[in-house]
Each structure stands twice: as C-alpha cells, then as structure tokens.
Amino acid sequence: HVQLVESGGGSVQAGGSLRLSCAVSGNTYSAYCLGWLRQASGKERAEVATIDAGGSTTYADSVKGRFTISEDKVKNTLYLQMSSLKPEDTATYFCAYDPHCLSSWYDWGQGTQVTVS
C-alpha cells in the first residue's frame, strides 16, 4: 500500500488560488498514476487531474487551463495548483494512487476541504 496525506485546503474568494499538496510514501509500481479527485456535497467523487510516472497529465474539462497537477519525485509529493477558482470548485479534494493507471484508485488520502465563495 501507498500512504497519502493531503494538505493545503482552505477557504478562498472566487478568482483566487490555492495549492494542494499530497505527501506520498510507500512502494509504488513502476507504471503508476497519481491523481486528484473531488467530491462536492451531494455529488459523486470525480477525477480532477491525473499524472503518470512519465509525467503525462489529464484534466477534467471543467478545470482545464485553471488547474495544474505536478509531482516532485525528490520530495515524493503530488501537487495541485488551482487558479481562477470558482464556487463550483468547492469540494473535498482527495489524492489517490493507481498502481496500473486504469483509473482504478487503490489508495486514498483523507481529503482536504476547499471552499470558494
């Protein structure tokens, strides 16, 4: 298993920015994916952005051009830089690990709340 611990959530006004961090520990597969998912109140959890071991990224249409996912392999940390935040971005954000990049998320962090007003 991989352990994931998120930080960096909080409250921000619309148009503002936040950076989420996720400390990753444990043994990862060679062809893994890491991702950020979010769950708004009353809605299902949805993928926001993913990154594979080679650095290729994907984004949900709703965040393209506003969010950037990145990984610092030296610090073993996953990031999500969020800009031009909108009230509809309000959700609990989770980082997750997929050992085979099949969008089958195997390990999860505890989540961090982001509120945009």
Side-chain angles (χ1 to χ4, degrees):
H1 283 278
V2 169
Q3 292 75 45
L4 305 153
V5 180
E6 302 100 334
S7 61
S11 296
V12 65
Q13 290 189 339
S17 299
L18 278 176
R19 188 177 78 161
L20 305 182
S21 300
C22 175
V24 182
S25 60
N27 295 320
T28 58
Y29 281 43
S30 59
Y32 65 86
C33 277
L34 292 169
W36 288 98
L37 297 89
R38 67 186 181 187
Q39 186 166 21
S41 180
K43 295 187 177 181
E44 293 188 355
R45 198 172 296 187
E47 287 185 5
V48 174
T50 70
I51 187 167
D52 69 16
S56 295
T57 59
T58 67
Y59 295 93
D61 287 343
S62 59
V63 306
K64 281 181 181 177
R66 300 189 298 121
F67 290 11
T68 302
I69 188 171
S70 62
E71 181 188 11
D72 186 327
K73 292 180 184 290
V74 174
K75 295 182 178 179
N76 291 323
T77 302
L78 178 72
Y79 300 101
L80 185 68
Q81 178 66 48
M82 305 185 293
S83 302
S84 301
L85 283 161
K86 304 175 181 180
E88 51 263 45
D89 295 318
T90 295
T92 301
Y93 285 71
F94 300 87
C95 62
Y97 166 74
D98 175 359
H100 303 297
C101 289
L102 297 174
S103 287
S104 179
W105 302 101
Y106 191 70
D107 294 304
W108 296 80
Q110 81 286 357
T112 186
Q113 179 66 36
V114 172
T115 302
V116 185
S117 58

